[in-house]
Amino acid sequence: MNKNPLQTLLNNTFTTFEQVLNNYQPQIQTREIGIIKSLTQGIANISGLPNVKADELLRFSGDILGIAFNLDANEIGVILLGNSQHLAAGQEVQRTGRVLDVPVGEGLLGRVLNVTGQALDNQGAIQVTERRPVERQAAAIMDRAPVTIPLQTGIKVADALVPIGRGQRELIVGDRQIGKTAIATDTIINQKQQNVICIYCAIGKRASSVAKVIADLRQHNAMDYTIVVVASGEDPPGLQYITPYAATTIAEYFMEKGRDVLIVYDDLTHHAWAYRELSLLLRRPPGREAYPGDIFYIHSRLLERATHLRAELGGGSLTALPIVETQAQNLSAYIPTNLISITDGQIYLSPDLFQKGVLPAVDVGKSVSRVGGKTQLPAYSAVAGDLRLSYSQFQEVEVFARFGTQLDEETRQTLERGRRVREILKQPQYQPLPVAEQIAVLLAVTEGIFDDIPLDKIQEAARAVRQQVTEQLSEVSQRIQAGEKLSDQDRNALLSVAQEATAFLKPQEESENAHH
């Protein structure tokens, strides 16, 4: 008996429909939505998002990002990383499920960018394949090696008297507008052909000041090995706060590849101000000078990331030059004392020396390097001790000499020698010097070869000595650079060349020539 064809069709249809229903897996996407409750400069308070995590990245309308900073019972305090002008209360906020990260890699060399990885130099998008979290743990103590290799700044007073080692943290401290950035810039310029990657991190500075630094680096061909990470004074405080951590993450990428890296934080005073502003807006309890209680911790966890890794981990190093601004030479203010206690020494710039035209205005008495002396090239030991002693004696005697008292011959000689040492330690910006030239000039002044030269001819004498050393003593220069001790033979050769080079500047020589 034949079945009804219509019945058969219906049965088949129902069977297929039943199979589809059984195999159906609902694709339901759930997402948490928060609502902006209130907005202030650089801060948003949000309700909702019950599962948000500390430091998680949140997305606002207009693709503005923020960091979940305060996780309170009823609301979330968010640091905004962009311009919040078009945001308004009642708008939605979404979780991203990740923390803030930054692009890292060789593609960043020569580029200027901000913390979100956006290029600021009109050279197209930044081409990188890897991103790393901005906040990372510092290397463990057992992963670190002693600081053993010098980082030459090319500045005579620093390399001889306040030396820096690769992996050290050396604070540059002083009042505003007396040459702190100039020392950092010269140090970056001096790393040319030294196989050191440099990162200049500008925090809260005027855009024009940052542009000048970048122009100077380009002019001296230093951008080839330099990365500039910027959060200018016009940027939100959240960007200024997070920028040094992002710059350090970029630096750590190269350090972990076995490279030597120098990072300049310019400057951590503005960083502290930005963090204080954020903390007060987030209603965190204020402490001394209205800074929050963890202001020491934010800088210590940043600078602790600078180190020298063990050879098994590549042997790379990260040297930090943080800059901090004092007001009216007040070294005992809150932020400067915090940073002095975190770092391994400081280069102190004196307004008094700056006003006298002694540039760089490094106060040798208040400057110290607690590590670098162990890394200093051996040749410096022939001059550094005598130099510091004679200069310190001179500074003490000079105060009394102003009163016009009768001076004995030894005191007068100390004064004359000290004035010449101070003149020798002067150095124009953008002219870092090779080690051998520094040693030759400093040896000549400590051994008294410049004593008979008039004060206004000292710079000319120094130039003559440097030129002769370069032309005549290339082998000695190579040995000094290679880290060999200064032998008596090399020392005598340097002094002999210095004597010859400066003979024409000595008054008695001139008078004898005139007589003949």
Side-chain angles (χ1 to χ4, degrees), residues 144-151 164-169 306-309 317-319 344 371-376:
R144 302 178 183 225
V147 175
T148 52
I149 304 167
L151 182 109
I164 301 168
R166 295 188 185 184
Q168 186 175 344
R169 301 155 298 182
T307 187
H308 178 208
L309 294 177
S317 71
L318 174 52
T319 310
D344 309 310
V371 179
K374 294 171 187 164
T375 73
Q376 206 172 22

mmCIF file of all heavy atoms in Angstrom, residues 144-151 164-169 306-309 317-319 344 371-376:
data_model
loop_
_atom_site.group_PDB
_atom_site.id
_atom_site.type_symbol
_atom_site.label_atom_id
_atom_site.label_comp_id
_atom_site.label_asym_id
_atom_site.label_seq_id
_atom_site.Cartn_x
_atom_site.Cartn_y
_atom_site.Cartn_z
ATOM 1 N N ARG A 144 70.361 39.872 39.138
ATOM 2 C CA ARG A 144 71.158 41.072 38.893
ATOM 3 C C ARG A 144 72.647 40.793 39.051
ATOM 4 O O ARG A 144 73.047 39.942 39.829
ATOM 5 C CB ARG A 144 70.739 42.195 39.850
ATOM 6 C CG ARG A 144 69.265 42.545 39.733
ATOM 7 C CD ARG A 144 68.872 43.609 40.728
ATOM 8 N NE ARG A 144 67.428 43.877 40.645
ATOM 9 C CZ ARG A 144 66.888 45.065 40.627
ATOM 10 N NH1 ARG A 144 67.642 46.145 40.710
ATOM 11 N NH2 ARG A 144 65.583 45.227 40.536
ATOM 12 N N ALA A 145 73.440 41.563 38.312
ATOM 13 C CA ALA A 145 74.902 41.471 38.405
ATOM 14 C C ALA A 145 75.443 42.813 38.902
ATOM 15 O O ALA A 145 74.761 43.831 38.789
ATOM 16 C CB ALA A 145 75.488 41.140 37.032
ATOM 17 N N PRO A 146 76.662 42.841 39.446
ATOM 18 C CA PRO A 146 77.243 44.123 39.881
ATOM 19 C C PRO A 146 77.407 45.083 38.706
ATOM 20 O O PRO A 146 77.556 44.652 37.556
ATOM 21 C CB PRO A 146 78.611 43.718 40.450
ATOM 22 C CG PRO A 146 78.517 42.259 40.710
ATOM 23 C CD PRO A 146 77.537 41.709 39.725
ATOM 24 N N VAL A 147 77.380 46.367 39.005
ATOM 25 C CA VAL A 147 77.607 47.397 37.984
ATOM 26 C C VAL A 147 79.114 47.515 37.785
ATOM 27 O O VAL A 147 79.842 47.872 38.709
ATOM 28 C CB VAL A 147 76.999 48.747 38.446
ATOM 29 C CG1 VAL A 147 77.323 49.851 37.464
ATOM 30 C CG2 VAL A 147 75.491 48.601 38.594
ATOM 31 N N THR A 148 79.592 47.195 36.592
ATOM 32 C CA THR A 148 81.044 47.088 36.364
ATOM 33 C C THR A 148 81.551 47.910 35.188
ATOM 34 O O THR A 148 82.748 48.155 35.084
ATOM 35 C CB THR A 148 81.438 45.625 36.106
ATOM 36 O OG1 THR A 148 80.607 45.105 35.054
ATOM 37 C CG2 THR A 148 81.253 44.772 37.353
ATOM 38 N N ILE A 149 80.660 48.340 34.289
ATOM 39 C CA ILE A 149 81.103 49.033 33.071
ATOM 40 C C ILE A 149 80.692 50.495 33.160
ATOM 41 O O ILE A 149 79.551 50.804 33.516
ATOM 42 C CB ILE A 149 80.469 48.383 31.818
ATOM 43 C CG1 ILE A 149 80.811 46.897 31.790
ATOM 44 C CG2 ILE A 149 80.940 49.065 30.539
ATOM 45 C CD1 ILE A 149 80.002 46.104 30.797
ATOM 46 N N PRO A 150 81.593 51.429 32.835
ATOM 47 C CA PRO A 150 81.217 52.849 32.929
ATOM 48 C C PRO A 150 80.285 53.273 31.804
ATOM 49 O O PRO A 150 80.322 52.710 30.703
ATOM 50 C CB PRO A 150 82.563 53.569 32.812
ATOM 51 C CG PRO A 150 83.444 52.625 32.070
ATOM 52 C CD PRO A 150 82.987 51.248 32.420
ATOM 53 N N LEU A 151 79.440 54.255 32.096
ATOM 54 C CA LEU A 151 78.649 54.915 31.064
ATOM 55 C C LEU A 151 79.232 56.319 30.932
ATOM 56 O O LEU A 151 79.040 57.156 31.811
ATOM 57 C CB LEU A 151 77.170 54.986 31.461
ATOM 58 C CG LEU A 151 76.315 55.624 30.365
ATOM 59 C CD1 LEU A 151 75.423 54.581 29.705
ATOM 60 C CD2 LEU A 151 75.454 56.751 30.886
ATOM 61 N N ILE A 164 79.347 57.513 36.344
ATOM 62 C CA ILE A 164 78.111 56.720 36.289
ATOM 63 C C ILE A 164 78.439 55.363 35.666
ATOM 64 O O ILE A 164 79.198 55.285 34.692
ATOM 65 C CB ILE A 164 77.041 57.449 35.437
ATOM 66 C CG1 ILE A 164 76.729 58.819 36.041
ATOM 67 C CG2 ILE A 164 75.764 56.613 35.331
ATOM 68 C CD1 ILE A 164 75.917 59.720 35.126
ATOM 69 N N GLY A 165 77.874 54.289 36.230
ATOM 70 C CA GLY A 165 78.068 52.949 35.684
ATOM 71 C C GLY A 165 76.816 52.475 34.959
ATOM 72 O O GLY A 165 75.713 52.958 35.232
ATOM 73 N N ARG A 166 76.965 51.534 34.052
ATOM 74 C CA ARG A 166 75.819 50.994 33.309
ATOM 75 C C ARG A 166 75.001 50.098 34.237
ATOM 76 O O ARG A 166 75.481 49.072 34.698
ATOM 77 C CB ARG A 166 76.297 50.214 32.079
ATOM 78 C CG ARG A 166 76.988 51.113 31.073
ATOM 79 C CD ARG A 166 77.305 50.420 29.767
ATOM 80 N NE ARG A 166 78.067 51.324 28.909
ATOM 81 C CZ ARG A 166 78.434 51.057 27.664
ATOM 82 N NH1 ARG A 166 78.088 49.899 27.123
ATOM 83 N NH2 ARG A 166 79.114 51.932 26.953
ATOM 84 N N GLY A 167 73.761 50.506 34.488
ATOM 85 C CA GLY A 167 72.903 49.815 35.440
ATOM 86 C C GLY A 167 72.662 50.637 36.694
ATOM 87 O O GLY A 167 71.939 50.224 37.591
ATOM 88 N N GLN A 168 73.261 51.834 36.748
ATOM 89 C CA GLN A 168 73.141 52.711 37.920
ATOM 90 C C GLN A 168 71.947 53.651 37.764
ATOM 91 O O GLN A 168 71.433 53.866 36.669
ATOM 92 C CB GLN A 168 74.440 53.525 38.066
ATOM 93 C CG GLN A 168 74.515 54.374 39.325
ATOM 94 C CD GLN A 168 75.874 55.056 39.465
ATOM 95 O OE1 GLN A 168 76.830 54.675 38.810
ATOM 96 N NE2 GLN A 168 75.949 56.065 40.315
ATOM 97 N N ARG A 169 71.495 54.232 38.893
ATOM 98 C CA ARG A 169 70.459 55.274 38.865
ATOM 99 C C ARG A 169 71.068 56.531 39.464
ATOM 100 O O ARG A 169 71.344 56.586 40.656
ATOM 101 C CB ARG A 169 69.249 54.838 39.696
ATOM 102 C CG ARG A 169 68.627 53.543 39.206
ATOM 103 C CD ARG A 169 67.881 52.814 40.271
ATOM 104 N NE ARG A 169 68.750 52.423 41.360
ATOM 105 C CZ ARG A 169 68.340 51.730 42.414
ATOM 106 N NH1 ARG A 169 67.093 51.352 42.513
ATOM 107 N NH2 ARG A 169 69.189 51.405 43.377
ATOM 108 N N ALA A 306 65.646 49.740 36.895
ATOM 109 C CA ALA A 306 66.970 49.980 36.298
ATOM 110 C C ALA A 306 67.982 49.063 36.973
ATOM 111 O O ALA A 306 68.099 49.059 38.192
ATOM 112 C CB ALA A 306 67.369 51.441 36.489
ATOM 113 N N THR A 307 68.708 48.298 36.181
ATOM 114 C CA THR A 307 69.640 47.322 36.765
ATOM 115 C C THR A 307 70.597 46.800 35.705
ATOM 116 O O THR A 307 70.491 47.147 34.530
ATOM 117 C CB THR A 307 68.852 46.149 37.393
ATOM 118 O OG1 THR A 307 69.751 45.310 38.087
ATOM 119 C CG2 THR A 307 68.139 45.325 36.325
ATOM 120 N N HIS A 308 71.514 45.929 36.132
ATOM 121 C CA HIS A 308 72.414 45.214 35.229
ATOM 122 C C HIS A 308 72.127 43.721 35.398
ATOM 123 O O HIS A 308 72.261 43.190 36.494
ATOM 124 C CB HIS A 308 73.873 45.542 35.599
ATOM 125 C CG HIS A 308 74.882 44.817 34.759
ATOM 126 N ND1 HIS A 308 76.150 44.501 35.203
ATOM 127 C CD2 HIS A 308 74.820 44.344 33.493
ATOM 128 C CE1 HIS A 308 76.799 43.865 34.259
ATOM 129 N NE2 HIS A 308 76.020 43.757 33.204
ATOM 130 N N LEU A 309 71.690 43.071 34.327
ATOM 131 C CA LEU A 309 71.308 41.656 34.409
ATOM 132 C C LEU A 309 72.535 40.739 34.362
ATOM 133 O O LEU A 309 73.559 41.086 33.788
ATOM 134 C CB LEU A 309 70.370 41.294 33.251
ATOM 135 C CG LEU A 309 68.988 41.958 33.256
ATOM 136 C CD1 LEU A 309 68.228 41.555 32.007
ATOM 137 C CD2 LEU A 309 68.196 41.597 34.497
ATOM 138 N N SER A 317 71.856 46.005 30.391
ATOM 139 C CA SER A 317 71.752 46.931 31.517
ATOM 140 C C SER A 317 70.781 48.061 31.182
ATOM 141 O O SER A 317 70.567 48.378 30.010
ATOM 142 C CB SER A 317 73.125 47.516 31.859
ATOM 143 O OG SER A 317 73.544 48.416 30.848
ATOM 144 N N LEU A 318 70.215 48.625 32.230
ATOM 145 C CA LEU A 318 69.332 49.784 32.088
ATOM 146 C C LEU A 318 69.809 50.843 33.078
ATOM 147 O O LEU A 318 69.738 50.649 34.294
ATOM 148 C CB LEU A 318 67.876 49.398 32.365
ATOM 149 C CG LEU A 318 66.832 50.523 32.391
ATOM 150 C CD1 LEU A 318 66.913 51.370 31.133
ATOM 151 C CD2 LEU A 318 65.427 49.953 32.541
ATOM 152 N N THR A 319 70.353 51.930 32.557
ATOM 153 C CA THR A 319 70.857 53.036 33.382
ATOM 154 C C THR A 319 69.817 54.145 33.394
ATOM 155 O O THR A 319 69.335 54.548 32.334
ATOM 156 C CB THR A 319 72.176 53.580 32.800
ATOM 157 O OG1 THR A 319 73.063 52.483 32.563
ATOM 158 C CG2 THR A 319 72.821 54.578 33.734
ATOM 159 N N ASP A 344 71.308 55.991 43.332
ATOM 160 C CA ASP A 344 72.665 55.606 43.733
ATOM 161 C C ASP A 344 73.622 56.797 43.687
ATOM 162 O O ASP A 344 74.813 56.637 43.451
ATOM 163 C CB ASP A 344 73.201 54.510 42.801
ATOM 164 C CG ASP A 344 72.230 53.352 42.674
ATOM 165 O OD1 ASP A 344 71.776 52.866 43.719
ATOM 166 O OD2 ASP A 344 71.917 52.954 41.543
ATOM 167 N N VAL A 371 78.118 54.328 43.242
ATOM 168 C CA VAL A 371 78.473 53.085 42.546
ATOM 169 C C VAL A 371 79.546 53.336 41.494
ATOM 170 O O VAL A 371 80.486 52.569 41.346
ATOM 171 C CB VAL A 371 77.227 52.464 41.853
ATOM 172 C CG1 VAL A 371 77.611 51.202 41.110
ATOM 173 C CG2 VAL A 371 76.152 52.169 42.871
ATOM 174 N N GLY A 372 79.405 54.432 40.757
ATOM 175 C CA GLY A 372 80.203 54.661 39.551
ATOM 176 C C GLY A 372 81.696 54.624 39.736
ATOM 177 O O GLY A 372 82.434 54.275 38.818
ATOM 178 N N GLY A 373 82.194 54.980 40.945
ATOM 179 C CA GLY A 373 83.633 54.961 41.171
ATOM 180 C C GLY A 373 84.244 53.587 40.939
ATOM 181 O O GLY A 373 85.393 53.462 40.522
ATOM 182 N N LYS A 374 83.453 52.543 41.180
ATOM 183 C CA LYS A 374 83.951 51.170 40.984
ATOM 184 C C LYS A 374 84.013 50.815 39.495
ATOM 185 O O LYS A 374 84.703 49.876 39.109
ATOM 186 C CB LYS A 374 83.030 50.176 41.704
ATOM 187 C CG LYS A 374 83.060 50.331 43.216
ATOM 188 C CD LYS A 374 81.979 49.494 43.867
ATOM 189 C CE LYS A 374 81.915 49.783 45.359
ATOM 190 N NZ LYS A 374 80.698 49.307 45.983
ATOM 191 N N THR A 375 83.266 51.542 38.678
ATOM 192 C CA THR A 375 83.237 51.230 37.246
ATOM 193 C C THR A 375 84.170 52.134 36.449
ATOM 194 O O THR A 375 84.402 51.889 35.278
ATOM 195 C CB THR A 375 81.815 51.423 36.681
ATOM 196 O OG1 THR A 375 81.537 52.832 36.598
ATOM 197 C CG2 THR A 375 80.775 50.773 37.550
ATOM 198 N N GLN A 376 84.660 53.178 37.083
ATOM 199 C CA GLN A 376 85.444 54.193 36.373
ATOM 200 C C GLN A 376 86.663 53.582 35.693
ATOM 201 O O GLN A 376 87.318 52.698 36.255
ATOM 202 C CB GLN A 376 85.885 55.248 37.386
ATOM 203 C CG GLN A 376 86.150 56.614 36.785
ATOM 204 C CD GLN A 376 86.391 57.650 37.880
ATOM 205 O OE1 GLN A 376 86.745 57.308 38.993
ATOM 206 N NE2 GLN A 376 86.186 58.909 37.561
#
